[in-house]
Amino acid sequence: MLVSIAPTPTAAAVTQEAARRRTFAIISHPDAGKTTLTEKLLLYSDMIDIAGAVQGRRSRRSTTSDWMDIERRRGISVTSTVLRFEYAGTVFNLLDTPGHKDFSEDTLRVLAAADCAVMLLDAAKGVEAQTLRLFEVARARHIPLITFVNKYDRPGLDPLEMIDHIESVLGLTPVAATWPVGIPGDFRGVVDRHTGTFHRFTRTAGGAKRAPEELLTIEQAAEREGDAWTVAADELELLDGAGGTLDEDDFATGKATPVFFGSAVSNFGVGLLLDTLLASAPSPRPRQDVDGAPRPIDMPFSGLVFKVQANMDPRHRDRVAFLRVASGRFERGMRVTNARTSKPFTLAHAHEVFGDDRVVLDEAFPGDVVGVINAADLRVGDTLYLDEHVEFPPIPTLAPEHFVTVRNRDATRHKQFHRGLEQLAEEGVVHLLRRDPGADPAPVLAAVGPLQFEVVVARLEHEFGVTVGLDPTNWTLARRTDTEGAEILRQSRHADVLYRSDGTFMALFTSDFMLNRFEGLHPDVLLERMLTR
Ligand code: G4P
């Protein structure tokens, strides 16, 4: 699985390696088929021979966070942060995202490391209200979005309705790349609109093997498929009449999305999706630094920590920082600098994390993700670099909407309580707010969704031996502000000001009304909305 290349590659070699990387995420509502699709991508890239290694979802469903039951999963886990596979000489890094909107901030962090995203929809459900936020987060990144409408083997929205639905709900321009032929229960295949070829599939038992595929011309399809073809042909004519070819620039900036129809469980359309990822998903591009200057990918090594996960493996109780390589060649044992602290850092324990397995990683290139083990000094958003200084912009956070006060129930575990909260805040599990920068005995936890609180309570108990109680508060909105703004806010009766663990002042409001009143009186006070730092 390791890429072999000369030990000191030239800039040209780094560019060449980067060109054969595709780093993407799949975002979807739970149950839309992300696990199944992931496994089928592995089947179609010949990484596995038989699908079915991924355990039934029901037996391991979790309401909190995907990784929490990681130990209970066997076979090929798609719950770890990154799954790396090769296909047609290209290295694919598939980044995992949580499926629940309460964890949108995790998705935002993961997307900071992805160059492209697949939006996976259930044919019967379309864009579910719960998932809208995740898609909005993806859109805010302005990366290419590829839509896969799954489960076309079952009754669902009519494909034309689905196209309208995507447009109206997401405000994206959907352009059908393939078109389904056949009715639910008798799904026969898809037309590739680009080539005009009909891909006729045959099911295999349980979808364990690739679906045998015949390529038919339009004429052959019309002859073979009868009425099913007539319906699809009429719909295609309507689509062609409405124009609708994919504009390359709109695709590149996430304004337009090619739409694929298929059925992951029966392997229909999976190969076409994989080939599209190969041909159209972008390879790593220069990442902009804090000043907006691009860091060319063939410059010396640089990378961004986009996720920190402690205690992933209860046997080791370690802390893994996930680093997306932005430029140059990563080499195990490399001594780099952390731009936040200006301190040197040796990347000694670097792994490729594949499912539950960890493979020692000796080198990596732009687009790759490296798991740095026991990286106590690394935080989400840190930039690491070799030789030539660079600092990437911080990963945005979402404005929290849920606030509780957290109380330690066991006074003897005071230290563990504070250490646990600090650590969870550093990982981005929750925002930790205090009345003053000192040790507030009852800090405030702020979250995008209440499930984040459940994770905090469970992890404090299991990892730090601390039992806590949560008390509701009246706040419903938060905005970031600066030192001057904080002073003005302190004098105001419309808001409270708290101090976030990363040093940011947060203004907390009980309602939109209060926020608007304050803004009316103090229009100059900086109060950033969504995607604040
Ligand atoms: P997730 O990771 O997005 O949560 O979804 P997952 O792949 O676990 O799939 C959720 C359910 O949908 C599974 O059924 C899976 O078999 C089914 N599914 C996935 N793709 C398709 C498809 O193309 N067509 C149809 N008809 N079903 C599909 P389950 O009964 O919950 O679990 P299992 O026991 O079948 O694994």
Side-chain angles (χ1 to χ4, degrees):
M1 205 166 303
L2 298 180
V3 182
S4 56
I5 189 165
T8 46
T10 59
V14 170
T15 307
Q16 208 179 351
E17 285 297 329
R20 64 182 203 99
R21 295 293 190 283
R22 303 286 180 275
T23 302
F24 71 107
I26 301 178
I27 33 179
S28 68
H29 191 273
D31 268 352
K34 187 170 66 169
T35 313
T36 311
L37 179 63
T38 303
E39 194 190 33
K40 298 312 174 78
L41 289 172
L42 296 180
L43 180 72
Y44 273 77
S45 57
D46 285 329
M47 293 295 287
I48 55 173
D49 296 333
I50 295 186
V54 176
Q55 253 191 348
R57 187 79 174 171
R58 273 187 201 130
S59 58
R60 54 176 171 72
R61 203 176 300 269
S62 157
T63 51
T64 48
S65 164
D66 265 355
W67 62 265
M68 278 190 125
D69 59 350
I70 200 164
E71 268 301 290
R72 276 177 266 143
R73 300 176 186 205
R74 290 293 175 260
I76 289 162
S77 165
V78 294
T79 57
S80 293
T81 296
V82 62
L83 193 65
R84 177 172 152 127
F85 59 92
E86 286 208 34
Y87 170 64
T90 298
V91 178
F92 288 79
N93 293 302
L94 168 49
L95 308 182
D96 191 28
T97 59
H100 197 285
K101 71 166 174 33
D102 282 15
F103 302 110
S104 309
E105 227 167 46
D106 280 294
T107 303
L108 194 62
R109 284 190 284 269
V110 170
L111 289 173
D115 298 321
C116 169
V118 172
M119 297 201 301
L120 179 67
L121 303 179
D122 183 321
K125 297 179 179 153
V127 180
E128 294 164 72
Q130 298 272 313
T131 335
L132 189 55
R133 185 108 193 224
L134 298 180
F135 293 136
E136 281 169 356
V137 159
R139 289 207 54 197
R141 271 275 288 140
H142 304 295
I143 51 174
L145 303 171
I146 297 171
T147 304
F148 187 83
V149 183
N150 192 27
K151 305 195 188 183
Y152 247 92
D153 54 301
R154 281 206 319 216
L157 288 181
D158 170 275
L160 285 171
E161 271 179 75
M162 180 58 86
I163 294 285
D164 277 352
H165 168 81
I166 295 170
E167 182 149 31
S168 61
V169 177
L170 294 179
L172 274 172
T173 306
V175 180
T178 64
W179 200 252
V181 177
I183 53 164
D186 186 21
F187 181 29
R188 303 188 190 175
V190 293
V191 177
D192 179 344
R193 288 187 71 214
H194 183 61
T195 58
T197 314
F198 174 49
H199 294 242
R200 188 181 204 287
F201 300 104
T202 309
R203 281 163 197 269
T204 59
K209 297 264 187 187
R210 283 162 175 256
E213 188 171 339
E214 282 175 90
L215 297 185
L216 304 181
T217 61
I218 302 293
E219 294 74 27
Q220 289 167 324
E223 203 172 298
R224 285 271 292 278
E225 305 303 333
D227 288 349
W229 178 259
T230 313
V231 173
D234 286 351
E235 290 167 341
L236 280 167
E237 214 176 287
L238 271 174
L239 280 181
D240 290 343
T245 45
L246 189 67
D247 180 285
E248 287 301 318
D249 288 341
D250 285 352
F251 170 62
T253 51
K255 291 187 191 123
T257 176
V259 181
F260 292 81
F261 292 87
S263 162
V265 85
S266 35
N267 303 331
F268 290 17
V270 173
L272 282 162
L273 176 67
L274 184 59
D275 285 333
T276 299
L277 284 164
L278 179 72
S280 305
S283 55
R285 304 268 189 269
R287 180 175 283 267
Q288 290 199 341
D289 68 12
V290 270
D291 301 319
R295 168 89 165 187
I297 51 172
D298 60 357
M299 289 268 285
F301 166 81
S302 67
L304 173 75
V305 176
F306 66 95
K307 176 170 169 163
V308 172
Q309 181 86 72
N311 305 325
M312 276 173 89
D313 181 347
R315 287 167 302 191
H316 302 304
R317 296 251 148 204
D318 54 11
R319 175 174 157 121
V320 185
F322 292 94
L323 180 75
R324 142 94 199 218
V325 181
S327 67
R329 173 184 184 247
F330 159 87
E331 202 178 320
R332 192 158 59 91
M334 189 180 238
R335 201 166 160 78
V336 296
T337 306
N338 184 338
R340 177 175 53 84
T341 59
S342 300
K343 284 189 184 151
F345 188 89
T346 304
L347 292 166
H349 302 286
H351 289 67
E352 175 186 346
V353 182
F354 181 85
D356 286 345
D357 298 333
R358 285 175 187 176
V359 181
V360 172
L361 190 70
D362 288 319
E363 64 175 1
F365 292 94
D368 288 340
V369 172
V370 177
V372 186
I373 317 282
N374 279 335
D377 297 336
L378 294 184
R379 290 200 196 151
V380 170
D382 279 355
T383 301
L384 301 181
Y385 65 86
L386 180 72
D387 299 341
E388 291 192 48
H389 176 275
V390 64
E391 185 166 5
F392 297 117
I395 298 176
T397 56
L398 296 170
E401 291 168 13
H402 299 266
F403 307 84
V404 292
T405 304
V406 56
R407 264 178 303 107
N408 179 14
R409 287 201 165 129
D410 179 356
T412 63
R413 306 208 46 92
H414 172 79
K415 266 195 198 150
Q416 290 85 344
F417 171 69
H418 287 288
R419 191 155 47 81
L421 285 176
E422 279 294 339
Q423 184 183 304
L424 296 178
E426 272 175 26
E427 281 181 41
V429 174
V430 76
H431 298 233
L432 176 62
L433 311 179
R434 297 188 178 101
R435 279 166 191 83
D436 63 70
D440 189 333
V444 171
L445 304 182
V448 173
L451 282 183
Q452 287 175 258
F453 298 141
E454 277 187 36
V455 175
V456 171
V457 172
R459 289 193 55 186
L460 281 176
E461 188 169 338
H462 294 127
E463 295 165 27
F464 298 90
V466 175
T467 320
V468 294
L470 303 180
D471 297 321
T473 71
N474 291 329
W475 296 304
T476 60
L477 288 163
R479 295 288 182 266
R480 183 168 85 101
T481 187
D482 54 15
T483 319
E484 270 172 46
E487 250 343 286
I488 298 169
L489 279 148
R490 278 203 191 94
Q491 314 298 323
S492 157
R493 56 191 175 82
H494 297 108
D496 293 282
V497 186
L498 272 74
Y499 197 75
R500 195 165 68 177
S501 51
D502 66 352
T504 307
F505 285 107
M506 301 289 285
L508 270 56
F509 299 86
T510 52
S511 64
D512 268 324
F513 177 77
M514 286 302 200
L515 172 64
N516 293 337
R517 283 289 292 272
F518 180 80
E519 279 190 318
L521 290 168
H522 303 279
D524 301 332
V525 172
L526 176 83
L527 295 173
E528 289 176 18
R529 287 173 186 278
M530 279 271 288
L531 306 183
T532 61
R533 187 163 165 204

